[in-house]
Amino acid sequence: MDQERTGRPRARRRGQGELEVQVLSALRQAPGPVDTAWVRERLGGDLAYTTVITILTRLLAKDAVVREKAGRSFVWSPTADEAGLAALRMRRVLDGESDRQAVLASFVTSLPPGDERMLRELLERAEEPGE
């Protein structure tokens, strides 16, 4: 329904992955493992409970959260932050391609010079012994 029919402004549609980032952010602020209702409340309470469960389940499939049984429901904890979630997405895209080398080469050559330099530095640090 739109504003003309309900008298309320239409809710802004979230971008792809935006809700996952918001859920992860809420979980990272949690005092420990929390239930779905806690997450929903931290997101403003305007989302359906089932929507929050769906997002948590998607994050579980991406290994960005873990869940453990608590009574008849689950409590959730983050295993990744926003950067980790983005890295998981990038890795899944790469895993879905048949020519990894071509994809990586195209990615690296399309980076702005500053990002390419940063990537090189990160790779060098990862290769250093004893770290």
Side-chain angles (χ1 to χ4, degrees):
M1 292 192 175
D2 59 13
Q3 186 172 357
E4 291 176 17
R5 295 174 68 191
T6 65
R8 295 183 311 232
R10 287 176 62 171
R12 181 183 71 78
R13 188 161 176 92
R14 291 176 177 86
Q16 183 178 3
E18 184 179 346
L19 198 49
E20 289 179 350
V21 168
Q22 290 174 353
V23 167
L24 266 182
S25 180
L27 286 174
R28 291 188 53 78
Q29 296 171 19
V34 293
D35 62 16
T36 305
W38 188 96
V39 174
R40 182 176 179 262
E41 181 182 311
R42 291 311 173 283
L43 297 176
D46 61 335
L47 292 171
Y49 185 88
T50 54
T51 300
V52 178
I53 287 279
T54 298
I55 297 302
L56 287 164
T57 303
R58 286 181 185 164
L59 289 169
L60 180 66
K62 295 176 181 181
D63 296 323
V65 299
V66 292
R67 71 179 180 189
E68 55 189 83
K69 197 79 165 143
R72 292 176 40 191
S73 62
F74 292 101
V75 290
W76 305 84
S77 301
T79 59
D81 57 9
E82 289 85 355
L85 182 58
L88 285 168
R89 281 194 207 115
M90 291 166 64
R91 197 165 51 244
R92 286 189 191 264
V93 168
L94 184 59
D95 289 345
E97 296 298 324
S98 60
D99 190 347
R100 292 175 75 92
Q101 184 174 355
V103 173
L104 285 169
S106 179
F107 175 73
V108 170
T109 58
S110 68
L111 289 173
D115 287 350
E116 185 177 341
R117 204 171 18 260
M118 184 187 331
L119 181 57
R120 288 183 192 282
E121 290 170 7
L122 290 169
L123 290 169
E124 286 171 10
R125 274 191 248 154
E127 291 175 355
E128 292 175 3
E131 292 197 5

